[in-house]
Amino acid sequence: MSSPHPDRWLRLDGTTNTRDLGGLPTTDGGTTAFGRVLRSDNLQTLSDDDLRRLAELPLRDVIDLRTTAEVLLEGRGPLRDVEGVTHRHLSLLPEKGHHTDVFAVEEDDVPELPSDWLETLLPRQTTEADEVEPPAVRSYLGYLHHRPDNVLAALRVIAGGDGAAVVHCAAGKDRTGVVAMFALAAAGVPHEEIVADYAMTAEVIDALVAKLRSSRTYAEDMTNRDVASHTPRAETMRRLLEILDERHGGPLGWLTEHGFGPDEQAALRARLR
């Protein structure tokens, strides 16, 4: 396994956990390309300099994996006003009555959301086989069980893009990590490199938790749990990949079973290579 490439981090003023999926080795001796796909935490506090740097990529697509409530509570981010950047809202959690494009709703027309906004999420069911898995692994399997449509939609945006895409959620580690895993698998990145990319967030976890604590949307969760509980562990992603191997013949097998076949996989691979 190679050491994390320091140039993969994109040090922005307004984010803590932004990095490029370029520079990773592939099973055939190649590498993934820089400037195609970024993974990130929340983009609400980008500075003018951040916007300039992203425009130089050029950034064309923002794939927001947060829930409707998170988007509305955090408000309109600065990239919403940048011409040529398209936003897609693709929540990976099941929600009560929210499966439309939240960005079509102007924030001024939205009633104030209750403090117990988490109750807008539907209860997530797990299979008996999954009950023995660690909580984080169960959560990731839940994304695949409840919202495979949006996992595939995110990958289709990446595959069909003509500039850079950024995939993000709140922290840029869990929901974002699952979409990044599939993208890297399609590019031919070996499992252990995917695991290493996932675990890189641990390098910035203190700053990341501090940032989320400053937001009323996430402060309670960040305060009630210690930093260690938020830290991504390599064994979590390793176990998810093992389950995909055992049940579906790997991440690409899962994609094929859910309608993202060889042609789309080839397009996704070409975007990252």
Side-chain angles (χ1 to χ4, degrees):
M1 183 176 63
S2 64
S3 299
H5 196 298
D7 293 339
R8 293 185 56 222
W9 287 107
L10 188 61
R11 306 294 183 180
L12 299 175
D13 299 327
T15 65
T16 303
N17 190 24
T18 304
R19 58 187 182 270
D20 200 306
L21 292 187
L24 291 171
T26 59
T27 54
D28 61 359
T31 57
T32 53
F34 281 95
R36 305 289 178 82
V37 185
L38 308 177
R39 56 176 297 171
S40 184
D41 52 322
N42 200 347
L43 306 172
Q44 298 300 120
T45 55
L46 293 175
S47 68
D48 289 342
D49 186 58
D50 294 338
L51 297 180
R52 177 188 59 77
R53 293 178 65 189
L54 291 171
E56 290 172 352
L57 288 173
L59 181 67
R60 290 287 181 261
D61 293 295
V62 175
I63 301 164
D64 188 341
L65 305 177
R66 296 173 300 162
T67 65
T68 300
E70 287 174 276
V71 173
L72 297 178
L73 284 166
E74 290 291 282
R76 182 186 292 273
L79 279 171
R80 290 283 311 281
D81 298 320
V82 175
E83 186 176 355
V85 176
T86 301
H87 287 72
R88 273 86 167 192
H89 175 233
L90 300 168
S91 174
L92 295 195
L93 298 177
E95 301 180 62
K96 297 177 182 177
H98 293 294
H99 291 294
T100 58
D101 184 359
V102 71
F103 295 125
V105 179
E106 290 298 325
E107 282 84 348
D108 291 343
D109 298 330
V110 177
E112 184 175 351
L113 288 164
S115 59
D116 58 349
W117 62 271
L118 281 173
E119 293 183 7
T120 64
L121 301 182
L122 291 168
R124 282 173 279 171
Q125 303 298 320
T126 57
T127 67
E128 185 175 345
D130 293 342
E131 288 296 330
V132 301
E133 301 295 341
V137 176
R138 291 203 305 270
S139 291
Y140 298 175
L141 292 171
Y143 307 157
L144 305 186
H145 176 71
H146 291 287
R147 299 314 304 264
D149 53 337
N150 280 350
V151 172
L152 300 184
L155 296 173
R156 286 178 175 130
V157 172
I158 295 171
D162 61 359
V166 58
V167 183
H168 82 95
C169 52
K173 62 185 179 74
D174 299 312
R175 291 168 284 188
T176 297
V178 170
V179 171
M181 175 271 290
F182 280 112
L184 292 175
V189 175
H191 282 11
E192 280 306 304
E193 292 290 346
I194 295 173
V195 169
D197 171 70
Y198 168 81
M200 278 180 69
T201 294
E203 298 177 24
V204 296
I205 196 64
D206 289 329
L208 181 58
V209 168
K211 177 194 171 188
L212 292 172
R213 278 179 181 155
S214 70
S215 165
R216 289 190 302 172
T217 306
Y218 307 110
E220 183 177 356
D221 185 50
M222 294 298 112
T223 302
N224 291 344
R225 296 165 53 197
D226 61 22
V227 171
S229 70
H230 293 287
T231 303
R233 303 181 185 282
E235 54 265 31
T236 299
M237 181 56 68
R238 190 174 292 118
R239 179 57 185 153
L240 178 63
L241 288 164
E242 288 175 352
I243 291 172
L244 291 174
D245 287 344
E246 293 165 2
R247 299 180 185 177
H248 308 282
L252 300 189
W254 185 91
L255 292 177
T256 300
E257 290 173 17
H258 288 82
F260 194 93
D263 289 345
E264 288 191 299
Q265 291 173 29
L268 182 57
R269 173 187 173 89
R271 283 291 299 148
L272 274 84
R273 294 293 294 267

